[in-house]
């Protein structure tokens, strides 16, 4: 997960106590990334949380990934291949220099970005993107680099998925960290056949795990399987675009797009097969080898699936103290659904869902900022908005 630099609770209380002064001067309160609005507008009443919406950046071109740095800097990837910097509450006009060479087309481009959990010490930033191979073929790659001013230096390509393909679809990809490992997802590249996501000699349709320096862990599940790609942690996925660890349980969760409906939410287990395309909750007529089965022995069933499709695009968990009634809930941004889903979990099942921000546009990502606030990237409007709890305004 992205490193979250926690703001002590007493600073939030201090900020709330003096919020009138902060709003009037349009200063950025200590530990926050943007000024609080002088007039927050109309409140939004959810099931058990009142909040305001604040647009904090606009003019972005399909904002895909977001990561927060400890110096009030936010980096945002645009799918076309640029990284934009928000510094001291202002979106800078010029993109970063030194970004990877990206093939932007179809669903490919510059995708996720994540600061290393120990960013303060090592300065590493990780990026996934669609990289070009021979004869114009492409696949998902993972790179890391360090930020100096407005330039990425010391770029290291840690991984490029194989085999390359001319398909413009289904690259994944999200990044998550745990215990010195970097996890990231690849899509099936839009070819729903048994030779892709079910084939361990291919990286297609997998969750992958590496050491944070790019080395393959010796305890990866298929390291000693002849012909298998050693980076694979789980397989049988279609196009996973949400990947995050639950900070309370330590479980790795992922969601993925179904073929026609049947989007899935899964708990990712080491070495497990999630069935695509042998099983699917979507319609079978869009893939030549879809069986129409929703369950088979040895294949992991989904925790939750959605029909009609919501096109899930980002995933995070509510943490901190600013949304006490939502703490521990899962948040999922959606494209086709044009909403932010709040999921109440009960162990390994979804106990309840609430739809938020309905009809605002295609929501590409959701992240908990280190200031304890929820940030949402909207690719329809090119905005990043954040949810401000009413408690910040002494209400």
């Amino acid at each position: 997960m992205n490193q979250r630099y926690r703001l002590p609770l007493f600073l939030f209380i201090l900020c709330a106590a003096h919020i009138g002064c902060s709003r009037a001067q349009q200063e950025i309160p200590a530990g926050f990334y943007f000024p609080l609005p002088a007039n927050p507008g109309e409140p939004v009443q959810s099931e058990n949380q009142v909040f305001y919406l604040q647009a904090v950046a606009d003019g972005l071109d399909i904002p895909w990934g977001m990561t927060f740095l400890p110096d009030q800097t936010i980096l945002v990837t645009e799918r076309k291949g640029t990284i934009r910097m928000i510094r001291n509450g202002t979106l800078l006009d010029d993109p970063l220099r030194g970004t990877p060479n990206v093939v932007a087309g179809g669903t490919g481009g510059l995708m996720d970005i994540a600061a290393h959990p120990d960013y303060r010490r090592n300065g590493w930033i990780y990026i996934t993107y669609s990289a070009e191979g021979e004869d114009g073929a492409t696949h998902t790659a993972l790179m890391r680099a360090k930020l100096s001013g407005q330039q990425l230096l010391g770029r290291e390509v840690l991984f490029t998925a194989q085999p390359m393909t001319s398909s413009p679809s289904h690259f994944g990809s999200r990044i998550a960290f745990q215990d010195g490992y970097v996890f990231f997802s690849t899509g099936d590249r839009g070819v729903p056949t048994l030779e892709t996501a079910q084939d361990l000699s291919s990286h297609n349709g997998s969750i992958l795990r590496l050491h944070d320096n790019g080395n393959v862990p010796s305890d990866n599940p298929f390291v000693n399987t002849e012909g298998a790609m050693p980076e694979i942690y789980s397989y049988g996925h279609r196009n996973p675009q949400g990947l995050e660890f639950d900070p309370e349980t330590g479980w790795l969760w992922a969601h993925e797009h179904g073929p026609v409906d049947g989007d899935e939410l899964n708990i990712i287990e080491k070495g497990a097969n999630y069935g695509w395309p042998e099983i699917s909750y979507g319609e079978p007529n869009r893939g030549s080898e879809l069986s129409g089965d929703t369950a088979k022995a040895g294949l992991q069933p989904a925790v939750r699936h959605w029909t009609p499709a919501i096109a899930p695009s980002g995933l995070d968990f509510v943490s901190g103290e600013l949304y006490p009634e939502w703490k521990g809930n899962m948040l999922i941004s959606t494209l086709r659904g044009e909403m932010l889903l709040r999921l109440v979990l009960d162990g390994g099942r979804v106990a309840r869902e609430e739809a938020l921000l309905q009809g605002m546009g295609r929501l590409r990502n959701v992240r908990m900022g280190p200031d304890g606030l929820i940030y949402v990237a909207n690719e329809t409007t090119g905005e990043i908005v954040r949810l401000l709890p009413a408690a910040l305004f002494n209400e």
Side-chain angles (χ1 to χ4, degrees):
M1 79 185 92
N2 288 352
Q3 176 70 2
R4 295 168 185 164
Y5 310 95
R6 302 294 185 190
L7 182 66
L9 181 59
F10 78 88
L11 286 180
F12 285 122
I13 297 171
L14 181 64
C15 172
H18 296 281
I19 201 164
C21 174
S22 296
R23 291 209 312 261
Q25 297 174 4
Q26 286 296 287
E27 296 175 350
I28 300 178
F32 283 76
Y33 284 73
F34 299 93
L36 291 161
N39 179 3
E42 293 296 319
V44 179
Q45 176 68 62
S46 70
E47 288 180 352
N48 49 17
Q49 175 75 53
V50 179
F51 62 90
Y52 297 91
L53 279 177
Q54 180 191 18
V56 294
D58 60 18
L60 294 160
D61 187 351
I62 307 186
W64 223 99
M66 294 183 283
T67 195
F68 297 77
L69 306 183
D71 62 350
Q72 291 185 318
T73 295
I74 303 173
L75 301 180
V76 183
T77 60
E78 296 177 307
R79 195 173 69 185
K80 65 182 180 181
T82 50
I83 300 176
R84 304 291 298 279
M85 175 182 286
I86 301 171
R87 175 162 285 174
N88 297 324
T90 300
L91 176 65
L92 304 186
D93 291 333
D94 295 331
L96 294 190
R97 301 182 300 277
T99 52
N101 295 323
V102 170
V103 179
T107 60
L110 194 55
M111 292 175 288
D112 209 12
I113 186 168
H116 190 282
D118 200 11
Y119 176 83
R120 287 185 183 273
R121 182 185 62 84
N122 63 36
W124 285 118
I125 295 167
Y126 292 71
I127 302 165
T128 53
Y129 60 100
S130 51
E132 186 174 17
E134 296 181 359
D135 299 322
T138 57
H139 215 322
T140 305
L142 175 72
M143 186 189 83
R144 70 175 183 176
K146 295 188 177 184
L147 182 65
S148 177
Q150 283 187 257
Q151 185 169 6
L152 293 176
L153 301 177
R155 300 189 311 176
E156 298 179 7
V157 178
L158 301 181
F159 170 86
T160 302
Q162 300 295 327
M164 294 278 189
T165 172
S166 60
S167 168
S169 303
H170 298 181
F171 292 84
S173 166
R174 293 290 179 193
I175 303 169
F177 293 97
Q178 188 184 62
D179 299 334
Y181 300 107
V182 55
F183 295 75
F184 55 105
S185 60
T186 64
D188 71 348
R189 301 309 316 283
V191 185
T193 66
L194 299 184
E195 287 75 35
T196 56
Q198 289 295 310
D199 183 358
L200 288 173
S201 69
S202 163
H203 291 120
N204 293 347
S206 301
I207 307 297
L208 308 167
R209 182 177 76 154
L210 298 173
H211 288 294
D212 56 12
N213 64 1
N215 292 339
V216 176
S218 60
D219 63 341
N220 267 7
F222 304 109
V223 164
N224 297 316
T225 301
E226 185 177 356
M229 293 295 193
E231 300 87 356
I232 293 175
Y233 189 79
S234 68
Y235 65 109
H237 302 283
R238 186 171 181 269
N239 192 24
Q241 292 187 356
L243 187 69
E244 188 58 275
F245 284 95
D246 184 335
E248 295 185 1
T249 65
W251 296 348
L252 180 61
W253 291 78
H255 58 57
E256 59 189 79
H257 294 245
V260 176
D261 301 327
D263 299 333
E264 296 184 21
L265 176 67
N266 293 292
I267 299 173
I268 302 303
E269 298 180 8
K270 182 178 180 179
N273 181 354
Y274 290 81
W276 174 256
E278 291 191 359
I279 61 172
S280 173
Y281 304 93
E283 296 180 14
N285 61 351
R286 286 284 292 270
S288 60
E289 296 192 26
L290 298 189
S291 65
D293 294 329
T294 58
K296 284 186 180 180
L299 304 181
Q300 292 291 111
V303 171
R304 172 78 167 94
H305 58 90
W306 290 274
T307 296
I310 59 172
S313 54
L315 185 158
D316 210 344
F317 290 86
V318 180
S319 56
E321 307 300 330
L322 291 182
Y323 311 90
E325 300 301 322
W326 291 357
K327 191 170 184 179
N329 292 177
M330 178 187 290
L331 300 174
I332 296 176
S333 56
T334 72
L335 302 170
R336 183 173 171 182
E338 295 194 357
M339 61 185 167
L340 179 67
L341 274 184
R342 180 178 66 88
L343 279 59
V344 181
L345 302 178
D346 180 8
R349 73 180 187 92
V350 176
R352 180 162 180 75
E353 291 181 11
E354 181 185 15
L356 305 167
L357 314 187
Q358 290 178 281
M360 288 184 58
R362 289 167 55 87
L363 305 184
R364 172 56 71 175
N365 198 6
V366 57
R367 301 304 303 167
M368 284 297 302
D371 53 7
L373 295 172
I374 297 167
Y375 290 79
V376 179
N378 186 330
E379 71 171 41
T380 300
T381 65
E383 293 179 318
I384 295 174
V385 300
R386 64 178 180 175
L387 281 59
L388 299 174
L392 284 178
F393 300 88
N394 291 326
E395 296 181 7

